[in-house]
Amino acid sequence: MAFIPTLIAIALSGWWSDRVGRRKVFIYAASAVMVAGLAMPLLQPNMTGMVLMSIINGVGFGLYMSVDAALMTEVLPNEGVSAGKDLGILNVATNVPQALSPAIGGVIITSVGGYAMLFVFAIVFVILAAVATAPIKGVR
């Protein structure tokens, strides 16, 4: 069910970002939406909170993915001369954390404070990722 809001957000945000010629503001908006979604299980620790998180995070993730891909291609070094290699490195940098997250999540859940702390960690890292976007030059 969460893939529907994600697909809608991808289509709309990619088009809108291209139309206004801005990327960072969409990254910040996506991060804010994902933080709101990740807060749902903390505010409402039941199935409803999880469903709301899934829907809201679907929108945030869709916003983020379409615009982040465009941002990455716009900041490739050497005007994209070695785009294949550079995009391959970006792909690895994106997928390695996704591959490691189940193990890291398990450690957080079992050692740091349960599922609630998992959502707190996720919120913190979404915020850090948004802040890390600020110094990127050459993209509005």
Side-chain angles (χ1 to χ4, degrees):
M1 178 169 91
F3 70 91
I4 295 171
T6 303
L7 292 175
I8 293 168
I10 286 171
L12 293 177
S13 64
W15 170 82
W16 192 9
S17 175
D18 287 345
R19 187 158 172 87
V20 298
R22 299 183 65 99
R23 305 288 184 228
K24 287 185 183 181
V25 69
F26 287 88
I27 297 292
Y28 301 142
S31 299
V33 171
M34 286 189 280
V35 165
L38 289 164
M40 288 297 118
L42 298 171
L43 299 172
Q44 200 168 1
N46 56 30
M47 184 59 116
T48 301
M50 294 301 289
V51 169
L52 288 172
M53 180 198 68
S54 178
I55 293 168
I56 295 168
N57 267 3
V59 171
F61 188 67
L63 280 166
Y64 181 84
M65 288 308 293
S66 66
V67 177
D68 184 56
L71 186 144
M72 286 190 292
T73 61
E74 290 176 1
V75 298
L76 291 175
N78 302 323
E79 298 176 358
V81 171
S82 57
K85 173 189 65 101
D86 295 333
L87 289 173
I89 292 168
L90 287 169
N91 188 38
V92 170
T94 300
N95 288 306
V96 168
Q98 290 178 3
L100 296 176
S101 62
I104 295 168
V107 170
I108 291 169
I109 292 166
T110 59
S111 304
V112 184
Y115 282 94
M117 285 308 294
L118 181 65
F119 294 111
V120 171
F121 269 76
I123 288 169
V124 168
F125 280 96
V126 167
I127 293 168
L128 289 173
V131 170
T133 304
I136 296 173
K137 305 285 187 231
V139 176
R140 296 177 0 153

